[in-house]
Amino acid sequence: MEECSVLIETTKSAEDKTSRWFDLPIDYELFRDLLGVEADSKDYQIIDMKLPFAGDIARTTSVRRLNKLYFAYTDLSPEVQPENNGLSDSDMELLQLLKSLTPEMKAMLLKQSAPK
């Protein structure tokens, strides 16, 4: 599996700024201990990343959202994962939704989308 890590920096005053690399999924307690801010706060930003699903990741993406996308990515089959480079958040969510469909639901969708 590809590396999944982000460099996160606090948005405190210049002399108090701290940054650290975190492997995903990010543990909230470790995050707080290393950066001194809560994962649910707005007191940090992503300044670099090594992610196969970096499509729509912004500086302000939350740790909770990063973890959610990471788990969605790791739930995909290994054959599909390498093809995910550059997929947006909505693309990842759509893939997860499609993966959860039953064969009957997939057949019904294909039937409805077939040209008439």
Side-chain angles (χ1 to χ4, degrees), residues 90-109:
S90 57
D91 292 337
M92 290 288 289
E93 289 170 355
L94 181 58
L95 279 172
Q96 280 303 105
L97 176 65
L98 291 173
K99 186 178 172 185
S100 70
L101 294 176
T102 65
E104 294 81 18
M105 294 169 82
K106 289 177 185 175
M108 186 174 25
L109 285 171

Side-chain angles (χ1 to χ4, degrees), residues 19-33:
S19 62
R20 296 275 192 276
W21 278 98
F22 291 91
D23 291 328
L24 273 63
I26 298 172
D27 178 86
Y28 299 133
E29 287 183 36
L30 178 64
F31 184 86
R32 183 188 63 234
D33 292 346

Side-chain angles (χ1 to χ4, degrees), residues 68-87:
K68 182 179 177 184
L69 290 169
Y70 171 79
F71 288 123
Y73 175 75
T74 58
D75 282 347
L76 295 172
S77 66
E79 303 84 46
V80 176
Q81 286 180 3
E83 299 170 11
N84 278 334
N85 289 334
L87 288 182

Side-chain angles (χ1 to χ4, degrees), residues 28 39-40 44 61-71:
Y28 299 133
D40 290 331
Y44 61 89
T61 300
S62 71
V63 169
R64 187 171 307 279
R65 182 80 175 139
L66 285 171
N67 284 349
K68 182 179 177 184
L69 290 169
Y70 171 79
F71 288 123

Side-chain angles (χ1 to χ4, degrees), residues 11-57:
T11 54
K12 298 177 181 178
S13 62
E15 62 271 357
D16 293 332
K17 278 193 180 186
T18 304
S19 62
R20 296 275 192 276
W21 278 98
F22 291 91
D23 291 328
L24 273 63
I26 298 172
D27 178 86
Y28 299 133
E29 287 183 36
L30 178 64
F31 184 86
R32 183 188 63 234
D33 292 346
L34 293 177
L35 291 180
V37 297
E38 296 292 332
D40 290 331
S41 73
K42 303 269 190 220
D43 298 330
Y44 61 89
Q45 62 185 353
I46 299 167
I47 57 175
D48 198 0
M49 66 187 98
K50 296 176 184 171
L51 299 171
F53 51 87
D56 283 341
I57 302 295

